[in-house]
Amino acid sequence: MERRSLIDECIESFKRTGFPFTKFGKLEGKHGIIFDLPFAAEGSMLIHMYEIDADTMGVNIFDLIPYRFVEKTIRENIINTVNRKMRKEILFYNEAACRFCTSFEMKRENLFGPDVGARVRQLICLLGAQILLCFK
């Protein structure tokens, strides 16, 4: 039996638990999903996950910082604050979407446990919470 891709395992996990998502692109070869993920009490992130290969997913997180149209100097200050405190260039501003975002990859070997979808959501929420702590 052929092993399913990591993105397919997430989709199956989301279906099994009733977690809402939108699937896209399988017919065009760009296999992925989009969903909203509540975190940090009143916050919500827009998550875009896509297949890189069978064992790796790309993850784009938008709205970690909920402001969209921010004056350039303030935007740069927010990005610099987060990146300095996280000690990594993790936060960017997507000009096309007019949103703050971060991007990274998730590999199968880092997602242990019986419910891959729940683990993915948990890790993304932890990252979101860490970024918000940069402002406290």
Side-chain angles (χ1 to χ4, degrees), residues 19-85:
F19 189 83
F21 67 95
T22 301
K23 188 162 62 169
F24 67 87
K26 188 157 187 164
L27 297 177
E28 296 86 31
K30 296 181 181 188
H31 193 140
I33 58 177
I34 297 174
F35 57 94
D36 281 316
L37 183 61
F39 83 113
E42 298 173 7
S44 179
M45 301 177 274
L46 176 65
I47 311 298
H48 164 237
M49 294 187 336
Y50 56 94
E51 183 175 66
I52 294 175
D53 61 41
D55 295 319
T56 311
M57 294 184 305
V59 180
N60 297 312
I61 303 174
F62 296 95
D63 300 335
L64 280 160
I65 310 296
Y67 308 109
R68 294 195 67 185
F69 300 98
V70 177
E71 193 271 322
K72 187 175 181 176
T73 305
I74 295 170
R75 182 171 66 218
E76 288 172 358
N77 286 339
I78 290 170
I79 291 168
N80 290 335
T81 297
V82 170
N83 291 342
R84 186 180 67 250
K85 289 190 177 183

